[in-house]
Amino acid sequence: MTAILKKNEEAARILKEVLELRSEPVAVKLVREDEEFPSGYPLPEKQISYCQSVTQARHGAKFMMPLNMHMCNVGASVMGMMPVPEKVASGEFHFSQGIHETLGATKKMIDEAAQVPFKTKGTVVCPLKDANFEPDAVIFIDIPERIYWFGPLYTSKKGGRVHYTTAPFQAACVDATATPVKTGEPNISLGCMGCRKKTDLKPDELIMGVPGGLIYDMAATLDRYRTEVMPKANRTG
């Protein structure tokens, strides 16, 4: 077992055990243009969207996904694999879903969405416990009480408040991946039209994206919370 795999396995164990997660934390690697894909991750059997790959990975799936395996160009463009399609950039694509009352309102949402700040050629997703790489982001899908704890974990040393940003669309790609990667801060999404249409995201679940570099300190702090903090909270549903 490599050192990074062992480190990821231990962090995943603590996170899942202490938070009582419904499913596995998902490690995401954004493969830069000059990098090789890590070995040991198969291609999906057919094209799938990024949000589908994440929600399948929470249940144990592992995927290596170059651009040609990404079914959704919205997600692929957010993560630096291709230019933003014209109908997406103009707001026309998402405006057709009927949520916004004007095209301008939809375009404003797209203009303010984070994008990965470097070029990539694909993604790798898998349970954190199975990751033989240092993740760019770690994604959690669970009920609010479990997602709540990432706020305390993030502010336990630095203090202050946590500021989250979300929108009716692009939960997995923008909110849970590009935003944490770009800002270096965790971010929460309430889910989106695409995720709630194409994946098994449940009505009571939120999505949390955490920058990969933070996850190890969070796991260590959570181990302390297990005995010193969490017994003071009502964690029953």
Side-chain angles (χ1 to χ4, degrees):
M1 180 182 293
T2 65
I4 187 59
L5 178 58
K6 185 175 181 181
K7 189 177 179 181
N8 288 335
E9 187 179 66
E10 178 62 8
R13 182 190 66 77
I14 293 171
L15 289 159
K16 191 170 183 188
E17 181 181 294
V18 180
L19 292 176
E20 301 175 0
L21 298 175
R22 286 180 172 179
S23 55
E24 296 292 337
V26 175
V28 177
K29 180 173 178 59
L30 302 169
V31 184
R32 279 68 164 175
E33 286 189 315
D34 59 351
E35 286 184 313
E36 297 297 322
F37 281 88
S39 61
Y41 303 95
L43 295 169
E45 294 181 359
K46 60 181 181 180
Q47 280 190 327
I48 57 176
S49 64
Y50 176 68
C51 57
Q52 288 173 327
S53 73
V54 169
T55 54
Q56 290 179 41
R58 71 185 283 211
H59 300 303
K62 308 173 188 179
F63 295 123
M64 173 184 73
M65 292 176 58
L67 174 58
N68 67 340
M69 297 308 299
H70 280 263
M71 180 177 67
C72 175
N73 288 339
V74 175
S77 62
V78 164
M79 289 178 291
M81 284 175 258
M82 60 180 289
V84 179
E86 182 179 345
K87 287 188 177 182
V88 176
S90 69
E92 182 180 348
F93 175 75
H94 291 96
F95 180 61
S96 69
Q97 302 301 307
I99 284 183
H100 295 99
E101 295 190 8
T102 67
L103 179 62
T106 313
K107 187 177 187 307
K108 189 173 189 294
M109 176 194 71
I110 296 299
D111 289 345
E112 294 181 3
Q115 290 194 305
V116 169
F118 46 81
K119 291 185 178 181
T120 68
K121 62 182 180 183
T123 56
V124 176
V125 298
C126 67
L128 178 63
K129 67 182 180 64
D130 298 325
N132 63 9
F133 53 83
E134 293 189 0
D136 291 292
V138 180
I139 297 177
F140 300 82
I141 301 175
D142 219 305
I143 61 174
E145 189 278 334
R146 291 159 192 171
I147 297 298
Y148 155 78
W149 290 101
F150 290 98
L153 290 170
Y154 179 64
T155 58
S156 64
K157 294 182 178 67
K158 67 189 289 294
R161 302 183 68 84
V162 191
H163 301 280
Y164 303 124
T165 176
T166 189
F169 299 97
Q170 302 174 307
C173 55
V174 171
D175 293 352
T177 305
T179 298
V181 168
K182 185 175 182 178
T183 65
E185 300 178 353
N187 193 49
I188 286 176
S189 173
L190 303 179
C192 71
M193 286 280 286
C195 286
R196 296 197 177 280
K197 177 182 178 181
K198 296 186 292 187
T199 78
D200 68 348
L201 184 68
K202 295 179 174 58
D204 62 344
E205 290 181 325
L206 308 179
I207 305 174
M208 163 67 82
V210 177
L214 301 182
I215 209 67
Y216 309 111
D217 280 347
M218 283 186 169
T221 302
L222 189 61
D223 214 20
R224 176 176 68 81
Y225 280 14
R226 182 199 314 244
T227 56
E228 297 180 13
V229 178
M230 293 175 120
K232 302 172 186 177
N234 179 7
R235 302 199 63 208
T236 59

